[in-house]
Amino acid sequence: MFGELEGSGFEVLDPRFEVCFVGHARVERLWTGGRWLEGPAWFAAGRYLVFSDIPNNRMMRFDETSGQTSVFRSPSNNSNGNTVDNVGRLVTCEHLTRRVTRTEFDGSVSVLTDSFGGKRLNSPNDVVVKSDGSIWFTDPSYGILTDYEGDYGEAELDGCHVYRHDPATGTTRVASDFVKPNGLAFSPDESILYVADTGASHEKDGPRHIRKLSVGENGALTNRGLFAECTAGLFDGFRVDQKGRIWSSAADGVHVFDPDGTLIGKVRIPEGVSNLTFGGPKRNRLFITGTTSLYAVYVTANGSKLG
Ligand code: MG
């Protein structure tokens, strides 16, 4: 049906990666024409993928039934990370409005949170929903540093932190020792929260890693140290599969880690990768946002959760 896309393919670095794909699987470019794509989220019932095109201030939708991509929402308030909650609703981080929103069943958009302690958030970046309904998100400053991915503006908070929003009790800060917290995901049993720090984007010798934190009662986190250091650019968004492996964005494609932190392989992508998610009816199709283009490849791993 199609040949090998130049600059793409599987790279095995450890035998444990060999069971993660079939040899003839090929990376497809499903759509191109964006500026900085982010936030892929899979909607199982509708068989489509929503993703953000941040500088173009729009969200796109790839329809699996037709293979077509069209505009989903424009303007999008420079949306970045997206996910799906436990009943299938879209949850979105917006740079321009410095908030996290939920799109309701009737299509209206509700604000979940836009401040902490009376001060505006910086620019929520990425988000994940836990099985108990709490919404966890990161709040680095990328959306207020320039006018390119939001509006240039002053930070009101004292740094870039990780938050947990409980629809019943509000927003709490769960980690405050990151430079620029970015992608985040839970282990399959939700005992571990993984959080990327992309501090190296603006600080010489800043962090370029994913950290591991134990999740306790009421969302209390305990630092368990470094999970992995990025060897190509920065880790931005990532997802976890059902076996607990981490599939992370990086400059040269997708880096795949065993739960013990070993880099076991890569899915090479011709452009820098910002994020990815597992989709399709079996959650075994990896959708990858790569700078200007949306890519996909079937793998033999299955995503651990919706969205
Ligand atoms: Mg991000």
PDB file of all heavy atoms in Angstrom, residues 160-190:
ATOM      1  N   CYS A 160       6.797  27.315  37.785  1.00  0.00           N
ATOM      2  CA  CYS A 160       6.075  26.406  36.895  1.00  0.00           C
ATOM      3  C   CYS A 160       5.868  25.092  37.642  1.00  0.00           C
ATOM      4  O   CYS A 160       6.841  24.410  37.972  1.00  0.00           O
ATOM      5  CB  CYS A 160       6.893  26.180  35.630  1.00  0.00           C
ATOM      6  SG  CYS A 160       7.284  27.715  34.734  1.00  0.00           S
ATOM      7  N   HIS A 161       4.630  24.748  37.882  1.00  0.00           N
ATOM      8  CA  HIS A 161       4.336  23.654  38.797  1.00  0.00           C
ATOM      9  C   HIS A 161       3.386  22.621  38.190  1.00  0.00           C
ATOM     10  O   HIS A 161       2.897  22.790  37.071  1.00  0.00           O
ATOM     11  CB  HIS A 161       3.743  24.227  40.088  1.00  0.00           C
ATOM     12  CG  HIS A 161       4.582  25.305  40.692  1.00  0.00           C
ATOM     13  ND1 HIS A 161       5.887  25.109  41.060  1.00  0.00           N
ATOM     14  CD2 HIS A 161       4.317  26.629  40.947  1.00  0.00           C
ATOM     15  CE1 HIS A 161       6.398  26.230  41.546  1.00  0.00           C
ATOM     16  NE2 HIS A 161       5.461  27.166  41.477  1.00  0.00           N
ATOM     17  N   VAL A 162       3.134  21.589  38.989  1.00  0.00           N
ATOM     18  CA  VAL A 162       2.196  20.533  38.598  1.00  0.00           C
ATOM     19  C   VAL A 162       0.980  20.641  39.518  1.00  0.00           C
ATOM     20  O   VAL A 162       1.138  20.834  40.737  1.00  0.00           O
ATOM     21  CB  VAL A 162       2.836  19.134  38.731  1.00  0.00           C
ATOM     22  CG1 VAL A 162       1.894  18.045  38.217  1.00  0.00           C
ATOM     23  CG2 VAL A 162       4.176  19.075  37.989  1.00  0.00           C
ATOM     24  N   TYR A 163      -0.214  20.518  38.937  1.00  0.00           N
ATOM     25  CA  TYR A 163      -1.449  20.697  39.699  1.00  0.00           C
ATOM     26  C   TYR A 163      -2.391  19.515  39.519  1.00  0.00           C
ATOM     27  O   TYR A 163      -2.327  18.787  38.521  1.00  0.00           O
ATOM     28  CB  TYR A 163      -2.174  21.971  39.238  1.00  0.00           C
ATOM     29  CG  TYR A 163      -1.384  23.232  39.485  1.00  0.00           C
ATOM     30  CD1 TYR A 163      -0.504  23.721  38.521  1.00  0.00           C
ATOM     31  CD2 TYR A 163      -1.505  23.922  40.684  1.00  0.00           C
ATOM     32  CE1 TYR A 163       0.245  24.883  38.753  1.00  0.00           C
ATOM     33  CE2 TYR A 163      -0.774  25.075  40.923  1.00  0.00           C
ATOM     34  CZ  TYR A 163       0.096  25.554  39.953  1.00  0.00           C
ATOM     35  OH  TYR A 163       0.820  26.683  40.201  1.00  0.00           O
ATOM     36  N   ARG A 164      -3.279  19.405  40.519  1.00  0.00           N
ATOM     37  CA  ARG A 164      -4.344  18.402  40.464  1.00  0.00           C
ATOM     38  C   ARG A 164      -5.651  19.136  40.684  1.00  0.00           C
ATOM     39  O   ARG A 164      -5.803  19.857  41.677  1.00  0.00           O
ATOM     40  CB  ARG A 164      -4.127  17.373  41.585  1.00  0.00           C
ATOM     41  CG  ARG A 164      -5.256  16.388  41.791  1.00  0.00           C
ATOM     42  CD  ARG A 164      -4.921  15.512  43.011  1.00  0.00           C
ATOM     43  NE  ARG A 164      -5.898  14.463  43.219  1.00  0.00           N
ATOM     44  CZ  ARG A 164      -6.965  14.583  44.008  1.00  0.00           C
ATOM     45  NH1 ARG A 164      -7.200  15.720  44.639  1.00  0.00           N
ATOM     46  NH2 ARG A 164      -7.802  13.583  44.158  1.00  0.00           N
ATOM     47  N   HIS A 165      -6.571  18.961  39.737  1.00  0.00           N
ATOM     48  CA  HIS A 165      -7.881  19.593  39.889  1.00  0.00           C
ATOM     49  C   HIS A 165      -8.914  18.534  40.234  1.00  0.00           C
ATOM     50  O   HIS A 165      -9.111  17.573  39.482  1.00  0.00           O
ATOM     51  CB  HIS A 165      -8.283  20.323  38.605  1.00  0.00           C
ATOM     52  CG  HIS A 165      -9.641  20.932  38.700  1.00  0.00           C
ATOM     53  ND1 HIS A 165      -9.889  22.086  39.420  1.00  0.00           N
ATOM     54  CD2 HIS A 165     -10.840  20.523  38.224  1.00  0.00           C
ATOM     55  CE1 HIS A 165     -11.171  22.372  39.363  1.00  0.00           C
ATOM     56  NE2 HIS A 165     -11.776  21.439  38.649  1.00  0.00           N
ATOM     57  N   ASP A 166      -9.552  18.727  41.375  1.00  0.00           N
ATOM     58  CA  ASP A 166     -10.632  17.841  41.794  1.00  0.00           C
ATOM     59  C   ASP A 166     -11.931  18.603  41.567  1.00  0.00           C
ATOM     60  O   ASP A 166     -12.120  19.678  42.150  1.00  0.00           O
ATOM     61  CB  ASP A 166     -10.453  17.505  43.285  1.00  0.00           C
ATOM     62  CG  ASP A 166     -11.511  16.533  43.788  1.00  0.00           C
ATOM     63  OD1 ASP A 166     -12.664  16.611  43.322  1.00  0.00           O
ATOM     64  OD2 ASP A 166     -11.175  15.709  44.648  1.00  0.00           O
ATOM     65  N   PRO A 167     -12.825  18.087  40.726  1.00  0.00           N
ATOM     66  CA  PRO A 167     -14.056  18.837  40.426  1.00  0.00           C
ATOM     67  C   PRO A 167     -14.836  19.191  41.691  1.00  0.00           C
ATOM     68  O   PRO A 167     -15.553  20.199  41.713  1.00  0.00           O
ATOM     69  CB  PRO A 167     -14.836  17.883  39.524  1.00  0.00           C
ATOM     70  CG  PRO A 167     -13.794  17.012  38.906  1.00  0.00           C
ATOM     71  CD  PRO A 167     -12.723  16.850  39.947  1.00  0.00           C
ATOM     72  N   ALA A 168     -14.693  18.425  42.769  1.00  0.00           N
ATOM     73  CA  ALA A 168     -15.446  18.703  43.998  1.00  0.00           C
ATOM     74  C   ALA A 168     -14.740  19.711  44.902  1.00  0.00           C
ATOM     75  O   ALA A 168     -15.385  20.552  45.538  1.00  0.00           O
ATOM     76  CB  ALA A 168     -15.677  17.407  44.763  1.00  0.00           C
ATOM     77  N   THR A 169     -13.422  19.661  44.961  1.00  0.00           N
ATOM     78  CA  THR A 169     -12.722  20.469  45.969  1.00  0.00           C
ATOM     79  C   THR A 169     -11.778  21.524  45.387  1.00  0.00           C
ATOM     80  O   THR A 169     -11.198  22.309  46.140  1.00  0.00           O
ATOM     81  CB  THR A 169     -11.907  19.556  46.909  1.00  0.00           C
ATOM     82  OG1 THR A 169     -11.001  18.776  46.111  1.00  0.00           O
ATOM     83  CG2 THR A 169     -12.811  18.608  47.681  1.00  0.00           C
ATOM     84  N   GLY A 170     -11.587  21.542  44.074  1.00  0.00           N
ATOM     85  CA  GLY A 170     -10.765  22.589  43.484  1.00  0.00           C
ATOM     86  C   GLY A 170      -9.356  22.136  43.139  1.00  0.00           C
ATOM     87  O   GLY A 170      -9.054  20.938  43.093  1.00  0.00           O
ATOM     88  N   THR A 171      -8.499  23.139  42.945  1.00  0.00           N
ATOM     89  CA  THR A 171      -7.163  22.897  42.414  1.00  0.00           C
ATOM     90  C   THR A 171      -6.123  22.933  43.518  1.00  0.00           C
ATOM     91  O   THR A 171      -6.097  23.876  44.318  1.00  0.00           O
ATOM     92  CB  THR A 171      -6.829  23.965  41.354  1.00  0.00           C
ATOM     93  OG1 THR A 171      -7.844  23.937  40.341  1.00  0.00           O
ATOM     94  CG2 THR A 171      -5.481  23.704  40.690  1.00  0.00           C
ATOM     95  N   THR A 172      -5.267  21.919  43.560  1.00  0.00           N
ATOM     96  CA  THR A 172      -4.162  21.910  44.517  1.00  0.00           C
ATOM     97  C   THR A 172      -2.848  21.760  43.745  1.00  0.00           C
ATOM     98  O   THR A 172      -2.821  21.209  42.650  1.00  0.00           O
ATOM     99  CB  THR A 172      -4.283  20.748  45.521  1.00  0.00           C
ATOM    100  OG1 THR A 172      -4.469  19.533  44.783  1.00  0.00           O
ATOM    101  CG2 THR A 172      -5.446  20.941  46.461  1.00  0.00           C
ATOM    102  N   ARG A 173      -1.783  22.257  44.350  1.00  0.00           N
ATOM    103  CA  ARG A 173      -0.451  22.113  43.766  1.00  0.00           C
ATOM    104  C   ARG A 173       0.144  20.817  44.295  1.00  0.00           C
ATOM    105  O   ARG A 173       0.173  20.607  45.507  1.00  0.00           O
ATOM    106  CB  ARG A 173       0.410  23.305  44.167  1.00  0.00           C
ATOM    107  CG  ARG A 173       1.766  23.332  43.519  1.00  0.00           C
ATOM    108  CD  ARG A 173       2.532  24.566  43.961  1.00  0.00           C
ATOM    109  NE  ARG A 173       2.080  25.757  43.239  1.00  0.00           N
ATOM    110  CZ  ARG A 173       2.528  26.988  43.514  1.00  0.00           C
ATOM    111  NH1 ARG A 173       3.396  27.189  44.478  1.00  0.00           N
ATOM    112  NH2 ARG A 173       2.084  28.013  42.816  1.00  0.00           N
ATOM    113  N   VAL A 174       0.604  19.955  43.402  1.00  0.00           N
ATOM    114  CA  VAL A 174       1.114  18.652  43.851  1.00  0.00           C
ATOM    115  C   VAL A 174       2.620  18.515  43.694  1.00  0.00           C
ATOM    116  O   VAL A 174       3.217  17.614  44.281  1.00  0.00           O
ATOM    117  CB  VAL A 174       0.395  17.477  43.141  1.00  0.00           C
ATOM    118  CG1 VAL A 174      -1.045  17.377  43.613  1.00  0.00           C
ATOM    119  CG2 VAL A 174       0.469  17.601  41.628  1.00  0.00           C
ATOM    120  N   ALA A 175       3.251  19.381  42.921  1.00  0.00           N
ATOM    121  CA  ALA A 175       4.721  19.363  42.819  1.00  0.00           C
ATOM    122  C   ALA A 175       5.196  20.754  42.453  1.00  0.00           C
ATOM    123  O   ALA A 175       4.601  21.425  41.600  1.00  0.00           O
ATOM    124  CB  ALA A 175       5.185  18.359  41.772  1.00  0.00           C
ATOM    125  N   SER A 176       6.262  21.196  43.138  1.00  0.00           N
ATOM    126  CA  SER A 176       6.749  22.555  42.913  1.00  0.00           C
ATOM    127  C   SER A 176       8.270  22.586  42.742  1.00  0.00           C
ATOM    128  O   SER A 176       8.889  23.620  42.927  1.00  0.00           O
ATOM    129  CB  SER A 176       6.338  23.458  44.080  1.00  0.00           C
ATOM    130  OG  SER A 176       6.786  22.897  45.290  1.00  0.00           O
ATOM    131  N   ASP A 177       8.862  21.451  42.380  1.00  0.00           N
ATOM    132  CA  ASP A 177      10.309  21.415  42.199  1.00  0.00           C
ATOM    133  C   ASP A 177      10.705  21.081  40.760  1.00  0.00           C
ATOM    134  O   ASP A 177      11.729  20.451  40.525  1.00  0.00           O
ATOM    135  CB  ASP A 177      10.951  20.438  43.192  1.00  0.00           C
ATOM    136  CG  ASP A 177      10.387  19.036  43.071  1.00  0.00           C
ATOM    137  OD1 ASP A 177       9.379  18.854  42.352  1.00  0.00           O
ATOM    138  OD2 ASP A 177      10.964  18.112  43.675  1.00  0.00           O
ATOM    139  N   PHE A 178       9.883  21.505  39.813  1.00  0.00           N
ATOM    140  CA  PHE A 178      10.214  21.352  38.399  1.00  0.00           C
ATOM    141  C   PHE A 178      10.597  22.717  37.834  1.00  0.00           C
ATOM    142  O   PHE A 178      10.176  23.757  38.349  1.00  0.00           O
ATOM    143  CB  PHE A 178       9.015  20.805  37.612  1.00  0.00           C
ATOM    144  CG  PHE A 178       8.770  19.334  37.842  1.00  0.00           C
ATOM    145  CD1 PHE A 178       8.092  18.895  38.974  1.00  0.00           C
ATOM    146  CD2 PHE A 178       9.233  18.390  36.941  1.00  0.00           C
ATOM    147  CE1 PHE A 178       7.880  17.543  39.198  1.00  0.00           C
ATOM    148  CE2 PHE A 178       9.031  17.038  37.154  1.00  0.00           C
ATOM    149  CZ  PHE A 178       8.349  16.610  38.287  1.00  0.00           C
ATOM    150  N   VAL A 179      11.404  22.711  36.759  1.00  0.00           N
ATOM    151  CA  VAL A 179      11.740  23.960  36.073  1.00  0.00           C
ATOM    152  C   VAL A 179      10.646  24.276  35.048  1.00  0.00           C
ATOM    153  O   VAL A 179      10.015  25.333  35.092  1.00  0.00           O
ATOM    154  CB  VAL A 179      13.126  23.869  35.403  1.00  0.00           C
ATOM    155  CG1 VAL A 179      13.447  25.169  34.661  1.00  0.00           C
ATOM    156  CG2 VAL A 179      14.197  23.579  36.457  1.00  0.00           C
ATOM    157  N   LYS A 180      10.414  23.329  34.127  1.00  0.00           N
ATOM    158  CA  LYS A 180       9.323  23.466  33.174  1.00  0.00           C
ATOM    159  C   LYS A 180       8.637  22.113  33.015  1.00  0.00           C
ATOM    160  O   LYS A 180       8.919  21.352  32.086  1.00  0.00           O
ATOM    161  CB  LYS A 180       9.834  23.987  31.835  1.00  0.00           C
ATOM    162  CG  LYS A 180      10.212  25.476  31.902  1.00  0.00           C
ATOM    163  CD  LYS A 180      10.159  26.142  30.579  1.00  0.00           C
ATOM    164  CE  LYS A 180      10.264  27.658  30.612  1.00  0.00           C
ATOM    165  NZ  LYS A 180      10.751  28.299  31.811  1.00  0.00           N
ATOM    166  N   PRO A 181       7.725  21.795  33.947  1.00  0.00           N
ATOM    167  CA  PRO A 181       7.018  20.512  33.839  1.00  0.00           C
ATOM    168  C   PRO A 181       6.213  20.484  32.543  1.00  0.00           C
ATOM    169  O   PRO A 181       5.636  21.496  32.147  1.00  0.00           O
ATOM    170  CB  PRO A 181       6.114  20.507  35.074  1.00  0.00           C
ATOM    171  CG  PRO A 181       5.917  21.944  35.419  1.00  0.00           C
ATOM    172  CD  PRO A 181       7.198  22.641  35.027  1.00  0.00           C
ATOM    173  N   ASN A 182       6.195  19.313  31.902  1.00  0.00           N
ATOM    174  CA  ASN A 182       5.589  19.263  30.567  1.00  0.00           C
ATOM    175  C   ASN A 182       4.668  18.043  30.445  1.00  0.00           C
ATOM    176  O   ASN A 182       3.646  18.003  31.111  1.00  0.00           O
ATOM    177  CB  ASN A 182       6.724  19.299  29.532  1.00  0.00           C
ATOM    178  CG  ASN A 182       6.279  19.840  28.209  1.00  0.00           C
ATOM    179  OD1 ASN A 182       5.234  19.450  27.703  1.00  0.00           O
ATOM    180  ND2 ASN A 182       7.049  20.739  27.635  1.00  0.00           N
ATOM    181  N   GLY A 183       5.044  17.012  29.682  1.00  0.00           N
ATOM    182  CA  GLY A 183       4.174  15.848  29.558  1.00  0.00           C
ATOM    183  C   GLY A 183       4.034  15.117  30.882  1.00  0.00           C
ATOM    184  O   GLY A 183       4.918  15.189  31.744  1.00  0.00           O
ATOM    185  N   LEU A 184       2.900  14.408  31.048  1.00  0.00           N
ATOM    186  CA  LEU A 184       2.703  13.614  32.268  1.00  0.00           C
ATOM    187  C   LEU A 184       1.775  12.449  31.982  1.00  0.00           C
ATOM    188  O   LEU A 184       0.909  12.535  31.108  1.00  0.00           O
ATOM    189  CB  LEU A 184       2.200  14.473  33.430  1.00  0.00           C
ATOM    190  CG  LEU A 184       0.755  14.976  33.483  1.00  0.00           C
ATOM    191  CD1 LEU A 184       0.514  15.714  34.798  1.00  0.00           C
ATOM    192  CD2 LEU A 184       0.374  15.848  32.314  1.00  0.00           C
ATOM    193  N   ALA A 185       1.990  11.360  32.710  1.00  0.00           N
ATOM    194  CA  ALA A 185       1.160  10.154  32.532  1.00  0.00           C
ATOM    195  C   ALA A 185       1.312   9.261  33.753  1.00  0.00           C
ATOM    196  O   ALA A 185       2.347   9.290  34.430  1.00  0.00           O
ATOM    197  CB  ALA A 185       1.594   9.390  31.279  1.00  0.00           C
ATOM    198  N   PHE A 186       0.271   8.464  34.000  1.00  0.00           N
ATOM    199  CA  PHE A 186       0.300   7.509  35.104  1.00  0.00           C
ATOM    200  C   PHE A 186       0.731   6.130  34.610  1.00  0.00           C
ATOM    201  O   PHE A 186       0.467   5.757  33.468  1.00  0.00           O
ATOM    202  CB  PHE A 186      -1.099   7.362  35.733  1.00  0.00           C
ATOM    203  CG  PHE A 186      -1.541   8.568  36.502  1.00  0.00           C
ATOM    204  CD1 PHE A 186      -2.444   9.467  35.956  1.00  0.00           C
ATOM    205  CD2 PHE A 186      -1.056   8.797  37.783  1.00  0.00           C
ATOM    206  CE1 PHE A 186      -2.852  10.590  36.662  1.00  0.00           C
ATOM    207  CE2 PHE A 186      -1.463   9.916  38.507  1.00  0.00           C
ATOM    208  CZ  PHE A 186      -2.363  10.814  37.939  1.00  0.00           C
ATOM    209  N   SER A 187       1.345   5.367  35.524  1.00  0.00           N
ATOM    210  CA  SER A 187       1.579   3.951  35.254  1.00  0.00           C
ATOM    211  C   SER A 187       0.213   3.270  35.184  1.00  0.00           C
ATOM    212  O   SER A 187      -0.792   3.812  35.665  1.00  0.00           O
ATOM    213  CB  SER A 187       2.435   3.348  36.362  1.00  0.00           C
ATOM    214  OG  SER A 187       1.765   3.452  37.609  1.00  0.00           O
ATOM    215  N   PRO A 188       0.133   2.059  34.601  1.00  0.00           N
ATOM    216  CA  PRO A 188      -1.185   1.409  34.448  1.00  0.00           C
ATOM    217  C   PRO A 188      -1.952   1.268  35.762  1.00  0.00           C
ATOM    218  O   PRO A 188      -3.174   1.416  35.774  1.00  0.00           O
ATOM    219  CB  PRO A 188      -0.828   0.048  33.844  1.00  0.00           C
ATOM    220  CG  PRO A 188       0.438   0.298  33.092  1.00  0.00           C
ATOM    221  CD  PRO A 188       1.199   1.305  33.920  1.00  0.00           C
ATOM    222  N   ASP A 189      -1.281   1.006  36.869  1.00  0.00           N
ATOM    223  CA  ASP A 189      -1.997   0.875  38.148  1.00  0.00           C
ATOM    224  C   ASP A 189      -2.109   2.210  38.900  1.00  0.00           C
ATOM    225  O   ASP A 189      -2.608   2.252  40.032  1.00  0.00           O
ATOM    226  CB  ASP A 189      -1.328  -0.178  39.044  1.00  0.00           C
ATOM    227  CG  ASP A 189       0.081   0.248  39.488  1.00  0.00           C
ATOM    228  OD1 ASP A 189       0.520   1.372  39.144  1.00  0.00           O
ATOM    229  OD2 ASP A 189       0.736  -0.557  40.189  1.00  0.00           O
ATOM    230  N   GLU A 190      -1.645   3.285  38.269  1.00  0.00           N
ATOM    231  CA  GLU A 190      -1.719   4.653  38.803  1.00  0.00           C
ATOM    232  C   GLU A 190      -0.947   4.829  40.111  1.00  0.00           C
ATOM    233  O   GLU A 190      -1.181   5.781  40.852  1.00  0.00           O
ATOM    234  CB  GLU A 190      -3.176   5.105  38.968  1.00  0.00           C
ATOM    235  CG  GLU A 190      -3.930   5.141  37.645  1.00  0.00           C
ATOM    236  CD  GLU A 190      -5.334   5.690  37.755  1.00  0.00           C
ATOM    237  OE1 GLU A 190      -5.943   5.571  38.837  1.00  0.00           O
ATOM    238  OE2 GLU A 190      -5.816   6.268  36.759  1.00  0.00           O
TER     239      GLU A 190
END
